[in-house]
Amino acid sequence: STRPEVMQYFDTVDEVLGQMTPGSMLDCDEVPQFQDAAEKYVAAIGEDDSVTNSTGRPRPVCELGAPPHDVPGIWLSPAARRLKALGESHYCIPTITNVHGWQAAQTMQKAGYFDVPVCLIATHDWERLGR
């Protein structure tokens, strides 16, 4: 497939993971704001395959990163999940947040509402990667 023109402005998720320090990506369950963000996402957007309610409380469904970042720490928006199913997850827009999940709720809601293929990653390296 042809690379969408907008992707010239973004690194791929694999490129971002390659720039991260090994062990710096956090498991989604370790990020306090991700849990709150999932609840707000369900309230605003509704339930879909990017959140689960298996524990009685909405929580994000996160994917494993590539080694050495092999923890479930990448939240894929519904649009990003569709791209992954087509084998085109490299068109996902990597979005970095800090260990607290700063702006996670807003990012998740906007990605869901506007159907943007976002891959949200919480990392200790967030400040270095944002430069």
Side-chain angles (χ1 to χ4, degrees), residues 6-24:
V6 70
M7 291 308 296
Q8 70 181 318
Y9 301 106
F10 300 99
D11 288 341
T12 67
V13 172
D14 288 340
E15 289 168 336
V16 169
L17 292 176
Q19 296 171 40
M20 289 170 47
T21 306
S24 66

Side-chain angles (χ1 to χ4, degrees), residues 23-55:
S24 66
M25 186 169 75
L26 291 145
D27 183 314
C28 287
D29 289 339
E30 297 176 320
V31 183
Q33 290 300 317
F34 275 26
Q35 308 315 309
D36 184 50
E39 289 182 4
K40 290 178 179 178
Y41 180 91
V42 169
I45 306 296
E47 290 191 33
D48 58 38
D49 61 350
S50 69
V51 293
T52 182
N53 202 4
S54 63
T55 62

